[in-house]
Amino acid sequence: MIQDPLYIRNFSIIAHIDHGKSTLADRLLEIGLVTDQRTRKEQILDSMDIERERGITIKANNASFEYLARDGKRYLLNLIDTPGHVDFTYEVSRSLLACEGVLLIVDATQGVEAQTLANLYLAMESNLKIIPVINKIDLPSADIPKCHRLIEDSLGLDSEESIPISAKTGENVIEVLESIIRLIPPPKPVGDKSLKALIYDSYFDSYMGVVVKVRIFEGKVKRGDQIYFMGSDKEYYVTEVGINKLKLTPQDEIVAGQVGYIVAGIKKISDARTGDTITHFNNRTKSPVGGYKEAKPMVFSGLFPINGEQFDELVEAIEKLKLNDAALVYEKENSLALGFGFRVGYLGLLHMEIVQERLEREFNLDLITTAPSVKYRITNTSGEVYEVDNPSKFPEPQTIEMMEEPFVKASIITPNEYVGNIMSLVIEKRGIQGNTVYLDQEKVQLTYEIPLAELIFEFYDKLKSYSKGYASLDYEPIGYRTSQLVKLDIVVNHEPVDALSTIVHKTRAEQRGRAIIEKLKELIPKQQFVIAIQAAVGNRVLGRENISAMRKNVTAKCYGGDITRKKKLLEKQKEGKKRMKQFGNVEIPQEAFLAVLKTDS
């Protein structure tokens, strides 16, 4: 096994979503003879079914392979394939800490997109060598000269180092490997110092316990060593070390410069937190590896089983999912309308969708999600500051001194002709205009400051429809701003439904409330009495819709006879409806809760 740092290269593949990262990884692994005709499959590093179906990478994954270069020497290459969607930027940032260089892919048909720039800045922050790769040159609409211009002007990179390839057909992929060896520096060789290893990922295996993926910066680790986790203050004995060649391959030891894995009989993934530093228990390193940022949830919503009897199964399922998704944050919650469930924190709406889909598929559950919310900051009249991510915890208005909501800096890259549409969308979403930069004659980069609550509510869908699918979006949090917020309650049959409550900006309350009650009117089935649906802020009703009662002709049996007989029957029916209205329950179908997410704002 190659252990000399001079012949090791650690690199990552980064790009905007759907620019061909996983396809290039497939071709590199075929050249490295890790896969062959028998084991070959598309997106081989995307291990989950959901990743394959959607054609996106959710979890960063890695594989090591050997390559005989043109200089006649054999090299060990450690490749990390990363996600491209903005929700999973944290996966990219932690993968970059394990590398010395990156391949930055630019789509020959689309050019530079928002996430291309965002990933470029992440790589620059980590001082990595960046090699631009122009992919999809086999397509008829590929424009290689335009991509060269964008690489020079927009990314500020040397376009002469860029490599035009087709990852699909394998054209020119060998040149990518030669450039990695020529341009990406080897890991810095370190003497026999004490062990210093960064955990850049970990996952739970039902046979081995937690498998910790590490990059060794100093020293070495072998089976039987007693190791110490500096962040969680835990110690364990190593039972296996090795490298990942698509399947875990045990080695005698892994040394400085290598990317590998450690198994040590760890039962809880919280003991091996991503970003933590591993060292020897008896010979500890002085300082941990720095530069790692923890993933912070940005979107919160309630997650409840449709069938209340499945709550125990949901508890078990969400604990197991947490073992393989370090970014998931949750706490138990109780709703009057939906029963027992969880308040879950996600990185964004795609992450929320994927978590729900994985829970339903992998654990056979039927779940319902409440309207997503963000974390607001409230200062009360006593001067206390606290955070609220659940509308049911929103305090009474008279106790509030100041309210703040989170803002994000959004970067939108779009063709020129859609700028007007996007500007009107951002104004509608309470955005503040920032910079406008022309990347070339056709593409513009627009920067805005937008409330996160507006961004998660249909912004992405509208952006795509306003730009016919051509605009791309990236965003990062920039802190809190003072705002006027209210709690919007939905009252059905004079009973507030807590699961339909939302926190909205004061100027939006009436518009949003009316949209929700109009949607509910279509979805709630008729009863034998009139159902009133109201949108209210405090005691002030903003809008009302009535669902008319089902008609039952009680006078049908009266053919002929005195009119007083009919009047008597109608009076009796009127009394019955009055009593039913008082005590009758209204069943709210699950589509109604989903409708709150889909109301057209």
Side-chain angles (χ1 to χ4, degrees), residues 19-30:
H19 278 201
K21 297 176 298 302
S22 298
T23 313
L24 176 57
D26 291 348
R27 298 296 86 79
L28 295 176
L29 293 174
E30 282 166 27

Side-chain angles (χ1 to χ4, degrees), residues 158-295:
D158 184 356
S159 66
E160 287 183 14
E161 285 183 358
S162 64
I163 310 156
I165 67 158
S166 167
K168 190 175 181 181
T169 63
E171 185 186 342
N172 233 10
V173 171
I174 288 280
E175 293 306 322
V176 175
L177 287 166
E178 291 296 329
S179 292
I180 289 166
I181 283 154
R182 195 174 69 252
L183 299 173
I184 292 178
K188 291 191 179 75
V190 179
D192 280 342
K193 289 191 174 181
S194 54
L195 172 68
K196 185 192 276 191
L198 169 79
I199 303 174
Y200 72 90
D201 198 7
S202 56
Y203 67 91
F204 188 81
D205 182 280
S206 47
Y207 296 104
M208 296 187 285
V210 177
V211 177
V212 183
K213 294 184 180 181
V214 292
R215 159 70 199 269
I216 313 281
F217 284 96
E218 293 174 9
K220 58 187 176 185
V221 61
K222 60 183 187 299
R223 187 177 175 173
D225 283 357
Q226 187 180 10
I227 54 171
Y228 174 69
F229 292 80
M230 296 179 83
S232 55
D233 192 28
K234 302 279 182 183
E235 65 206 68
Y236 288 96
Y237 284 94
V238 177
T239 55
E240 183 179 312
V241 297
I243 60 169
N244 182 13
K245 288 188 167 183
L246 283 186
K247 57 177 190 279
L248 302 183
T249 311
Q251 303 289 322
D252 296 333
E253 61 181 15
I254 44 176
V255 301
Q258 284 189 315
V259 172
Y261 71 90
I262 296 174
V263 178
I266 305 163
K267 298 285 186 291
K268 287 191 211 158
I269 209 158
S270 55
D271 290 353
R273 285 199 303 269
T274 305
D276 200 352
T277 301
I278 299 177
T279 186
H280 281 131
F281 183 71
N282 297 321
N283 180 20
R284 299 183 189 184
T285 184
K286 291 183 176 65
S287 59
V289 180
Y292 176 76
K293 295 186 188 80
E294 260 193 49

Side-chain angles (χ1 to χ4, degrees), residues 132-149:
V133 175
I134 301 168
N135 190 21
K136 304 189 185 180
I137 60 168
D138 56 312
L139 296 180
S141 54
D143 189 343
I144 298 169
K146 180 184 164 187
C147 286
H148 278 297
R149 282 200 312 277

Side-chain angles (χ1 to χ4, degrees), residues 78 87 136-137 168 212-213 377 424 468 551:
N78 298 309
D87 279 11
K136 304 189 185 180
I137 60 168
K168 190 175 181 181
V212 183
K213 294 184 180 181
R377 206 154 61 188
S424 62
K468 296 185 181 167
R551 291 285 299 151

